[in-house]
Amino acid sequence: MTDATRTHPSLDELRAEALEWGRKPRARGSWYVTEHMVRAMRAYGWTIVVGAFGQPILYLLGLGLGLAALIQTDIDDGGQPVPYLVFIAPALLMTAAISVASEEFTYPVMAGFKWRRYFYGFNASPLSSPQIANGVILGASARMFIAVAAYYLFIWVFGAVPNPATGWISIAVGVLAGVSFGIPLMAYAASIEDDKGQFALVQRFIFMPMFLFSGTFYPLETLPGWLQWIGWISPLWHASELGRMLTYGSVDAPAAGSHLAYLLVLAGVGYLLGRRIFERRLAK
Amino acid sequence: MTLATASDTTRRRGGVRALWAGNPQAVVQRGLLAARSSSWIVVLSGFFEPVFFLASMGIGLGALIGDVQTSAGLDVPYAAFIAPALLAVSAMNGAIYDSTWNVFFKLNYGKLYEGMLSTSLGPLDVALGEILYALLRGLLYATGFMIIMQILGLNLAPTAILALPAVLLIAFGFASVGMAITSYMKTFQHMDWINFVLLPMFLFSATFYPITVYPEPVQVIVQALPLWHGVELIRGLTTGALSAGMLWHVLYYAVMIGIGLVFTTKRLRALFLD
């Protein structure tokens, strides 16, 4: 008799046990997903390392120093004359973060929902769908942080940071730039049911024009008026402007505030949208 | 004795016939048919990349830089300096993407070539067919870009029209070598290394500024890379500064195509027939 009660616990006991098992994943779910995303990156770990360290050197040598040899006069950046290398370095740093974002918030999201369906696996455990979205964001941010920190190190060594006292803050701005572009992209990626090459189009018609027309290589005012709007709506331009203020050491509070606000709004609206899309799709 | 020799020759003849059925157009046709079911806008979008670069750099940097001296000693506007380079770069990129990503998928996932090789087609048909299809697409993009250059007045001489066959030559060179290299790749992660080779070539091959900004030893390295020869060849043609030295660029690509084709055929043969 006593044996039978031991092998058949009551429903309440079972429920309590199940809840006990689920308690930790419920509380720390975002971090578990983050851990998965970061571990998954080990499959292409060398790409990340070489990309994070190789790309900055190439771009700084190729565009920074090479073009600087042609553009020997200082760039007039909003009334402040700066050498060409100093001008483009922060913009290249922000570009690095955004290009990591355009990788991490597209195919891994598609794989999680469609190809390898691991998001559904997570969702079958006590993890909630917002936690899955959080994990994707945090995992990508970890990679962005490495890329941006490496970039900052290089531009500092190359002498492109006149004011390191505030310059290092551009690392944080870099991660913010990445998420402000990446989270809305994640929301879009999560909404795609059929892969018809949408990410190639995002790369060509959103990332590329943003990179080329956001005042990365020259002040935005150099462009004719009908092209300047691309910069105004582009997170890259806002982040680059912030990065420039920080590395030059001349922060103009109202302008910096508005750039910061724009980036935060993009990331925030993208997050709310992305969470809803994740919840809906995983509930299917 | 005589019997053994006879059977030897038949085997050898069979080996050659297995490489080449003289029908690469079947592979091209298959590519065209398959293109119908893929998204046309993705195919079309490849054309825009060099155009965006030209617009951004030509307008913005052009205003900062003004005129630039080419290797032939001509002073040309900055946009006219980079436009031919972008044409060469897009020929390279197009050829590499078509012969690496595309071939990688067909090789490892689609198992398309196994199917093709079980027909009368040989590895050389497959290699040439894929390359010809890539060239067709490259020609389309290049023609579009040349029209834009013409409208913007960046073709400075009538010889610019010769840039079209030059683009094909460049694309052929990259495609034939690219395909051979792809045959060694087993995972997606290997494919990333392609970018690590292409990016420095793109940035350093006198694309955005004359090669003379580098110290002498760096110049020698750049001049050994294929893209530099392509950029110089096309720039010479569009700016009209022709010289006998340009034949070296052509020769470079001719050798590259030869080596690439032999290499690719050998690899496809090793993968499927041996």
Side-chain angles (χ1 to χ4, degrees), chain B residues 17-139:
Chain B
R17 218 189 298 132
L19 287 182
W20 174 245
N23 194 16
Q25 63 269 26
V27 181
V28 176
Q29 205 169 19
R30 189 257 160 214
L32 289 173
L33 277 175
R36 257 197 241 162
S37 62
S38 70
S39 179
W40 62 270
I41 194 152
V42 176
V43 177
L44 188 73
S45 72
F47 160 75
F48 285 95
E49 202 156 294
V51 177
F52 287 153
F53 262 97
L54 180 63
S56 166
M57 304 289 196
I59 297 173
L61 278 180
L64 290 181
I65 292 175
D67 282 5
V68 185
Q69 200 174 51
T70 68
S71 56
L74 281 177
D75 279 315
V76 298
Y78 189 64
F81 180 80
I82 59 165
L86 292 172
L87 194 56
V89 168
S90 76
M92 170 183 84
N93 281 338
I96 288 289
Y97 283 118
D98 267 335
S99 67
T100 56
W101 279 107
N102 185 19
V103 169
F104 179 76
F105 270 101
K106 289 179 182 171
L107 202 59
N108 293 301
Y109 294 92
K111 305 283 179 201
L112 190 73
Y113 298 138
E114 286 181 18
M116 286 184 179
L117 291 170
S118 67
T119 67
S120 65
L121 296 177
L124 192 57
D125 294 283
V126 173
L128 261 180
E130 281 291 351
I131 291 167
L132 285 177
Y133 174 66
L135 292 186
L136 221 69
R137 201 160 128 174
L139 182 65

Side-chain angles (χ1 to χ4, degrees), chain B residues 128-163:
Chain B
L128 261 180
E130 281 291 351
I131 291 167
L132 285 177
Y133 174 66
L135 292 186
L136 221 69
R137 201 160 128 174
L139 182 65
L140 204 68
Y141 291 162
T143 310
F145 193 76
M146 285 290 284
I147 291 171
I148 289 182
M149 280 177 72
Q150 187 63 39
I151 292 169
L152 297 178
L154 302 177
N155 287 326
L156 305 181
T159 48
I161 192 77
L162 291 174

Side-chain angles (χ1 to χ4, degrees), chain B residues 10-11 29 37 53 60 67-68 78 83 117 122 128 134 139 155 164 166-167 177 184 197 203-204 209 233 249 253:
Chain B
T10 19
R11 215 171 61 213
Q29 205 169 19
S37 62
F53 262 97
D67 282 5
V68 185
Y78 189 64
L117 291 170
L128 261 180
L139 182 65
N155 287 326
L164 285 177
V167 162
V177 172
Y184 286 102
V197 177
L203 290 173
F204 297 116
Y209 41 83
L233 179 61
H249 304 315
Y253 279 99

Side-chain angles (χ1 to χ4, degrees), chain A:
Chain A
M1 274 303 276
T2 45
D3 271 358
T5 45
R6 211 172 285 154
T7 45
H8 297 290
S10 73
L11 200 58
D12 282 337
E13 277 170 337
L14 280 172
R15 188 180 293 131
E17 194 191 13
L19 283 174
E20 183 54 37
W21 278 101
R23 194 154 293 148
K24 239 164 92 179
R26 272 195 189 287
R28 304 180 194 163
S30 302
W31 296 107
Y32 286 174
V33 179
T34 308
E35 188 190 345
H36 170 89
M37 300 307 285
V38 171
R39 278 176 187 273
M41 285 176 202
R42 288 199 307 192
Y44 47 98
W46 277 110
T47 312
I48 294 176
V49 173
V50 176
F53 291 90
Q55 237 177 17
I57 301 182
L58 288 178
Y59 270 104
L60 285 173
L61 284 176
L63 292 178
L65 296 179
L67 280 176
L70 280 188
I71 309 173
Q72 275 162 357
T73 49
D74 284 355
I75 300 287
D76 176 27
D77 187 12
Q80 190 178 11
V82 290
Y84 189 66
L85 183 64
V86 173
F87 177 79
I88 70 163
L92 290 177
L93 178 141
M94 301 303 164
T95 307
I98 289 182
S99 79
V100 167
S102 71
E103 270 179 52
E104 286 297 331
F105 287 106
T106 50
Y107 291 105
V109 176
M110 195 75 160
F113 278 117
K114 190 177 160 72
W115 294 324
R116 301 177 58 199
R117 297 178 64 87
Y118 44 74
F119 290 165
Y120 290 96
F122 298 156
N123 204 43
S125 75
L127 303 183
S128 68
S129 28
Q131 284 176 333
I132 297 173
N134 293 345
V136 174
I137 296 168
L138 289 169
S141 304
R143 186 179 157 191
M144 281 189 276
F145 177 78
I146 293 173
V148 172
Y151 227 116
Y152 181 75
L153 193 74
F154 282 116
I155 63 172
W156 179 67
V157 170
F158 269 82
V161 184
N163 196 332
T166 53
W168 65 274
I169 305 172
S170 55
I171 297 176
V173 176
V175 176
L176 178 63
V179 293
S180 67
F181 175 74
I183 298 179
L185 183 59
M186 176 188 81
Y188 173 62
S191 73
I192 296 175
E193 302 273 352
D194 280 319
D195 174 33
K196 294 191 202 110
Q198 288 96 331
F199 295 144
L201 294 184
V202 167
Q203 191 69 21
R204 289 225 168 98
F205 291 113
I206 297 179
F207 178 79
M208 265 299 159
M210 176 172 74
F211 173 51
L212 290 170
F213 297 100
S214 292
T216 315
F217 302 109
Y218 41 81
L220 193 62
E221 298 79 56
T222 317
L223 284 177
W226 56 273
L227 275 174
Q228 287 185 17
W229 63 270
I230 301 178
W232 297 333
I233 60 167
S234 128
L236 178 56
W237 179 69
H238 292 277
S240 301
E241 290 294 295
L242 268 176
R244 283 179 180 133
M245 287 180 193
L246 290 165
T247 52
Y248 303 170
S250 59
V251 179
D252 169 28
S258 64
H259 294 312
L260 200 62
Y262 182 76
L263 295 176
L264 289 171
V265 166
L266 267 185
V269 171
Y271 181 68
L272 293 178
L273 208 68
R275 240 172 71 152
R276 272 184 61 186
I277 295 172
F278 265 66
E279 274 175 334
R280 273 198 206 149
R281 187 151 179 194
L282 287 170
K284 261 190 219 167

